[in-house]
Amino acid sequence: MCNQRNFIFANIVESVGFEDIVYQSSLCTYGSLQGVFDGSHYNRAWLIHSIVAESLERLLLSRFFYEKNPQWSDCFIELAANPTVSALSAETFDQMDSFSNHYESYENKIGNGDLGKTPHFWLMYIDLIKQQRLAHTAVQENSMEILIHAW
């Protein structure tokens, strides 16, 4: 089942420059990439898809910061620099909640295609990888509840 999902991921990203991203970042050679696409290199495929999805998520977050330019209070910056329980406050929780809501609405805009087809496509890829991670965790923990949530 997992090889089938990797094969699906490979078919989705096969002709959109994914190979170039992976090769140029030295994650994998072109020869090994064929094994990733046909599903025969499961561990390598898992690693590559996870790294690419993580980098796309970071790119999305940096674009969100660039476009929205959120303002942070000193306590929030202090918490980011020194994450301790004592640095938490009601103001920090309010800011985290506000940030989370704004970021989620930004993702929803992208998911609806409001900001173009390319970010919509890559957000779909990120979401598929997140579901795959959740399904993988469910199998490792033998949890039917998590598996149902993943599907």
Side-chain angles (χ1 to χ4, degrees), residues 42 48 68 80 116 132 136-137 141:
Y42 174 75
I48 288 172
K68 302 301 181 184
Q132 175 66 18
H136 187 75
T137 302
E141 294 181 6

Side-chain angles (χ1 to χ4, degrees), residues 34-79:
Q34 191 56 43
V36 168
F37 282 159
D38 66 20
S40 61
H41 297 304
Y42 174 75
N43 288 336
R44 188 172 299 141
W46 181 250
L47 175 70
I48 288 172
H49 286 299
S50 294
I51 290 172
V52 171
E54 174 71 24
S55 62
L56 288 170
E57 283 183 280
R58 289 177 183 212
L59 183 63
L60 178 66
L61 185 61
S62 68
R63 186 65 190 187
F64 171 76
F65 285 141
Y66 176 77
E67 286 183 16
K68 302 301 181 184
N69 193 17
Q71 301 300 315
W72 309 108
S73 69
D74 292 337
C75 65
F76 195 76
I77 294 170
E78 180 184 328
L79 179 63

Side-chain angles (χ1 to χ4, degrees), residues 124-139:
M124 177 189 67
Y125 171 76
I126 291 170
D127 289 341
L128 285 171
I129 297 301
K130 284 180 182 177
Q131 285 180 336
Q132 175 66 18
R133 284 183 194 149
L134 198 57
H136 187 75
T137 302
V139 169

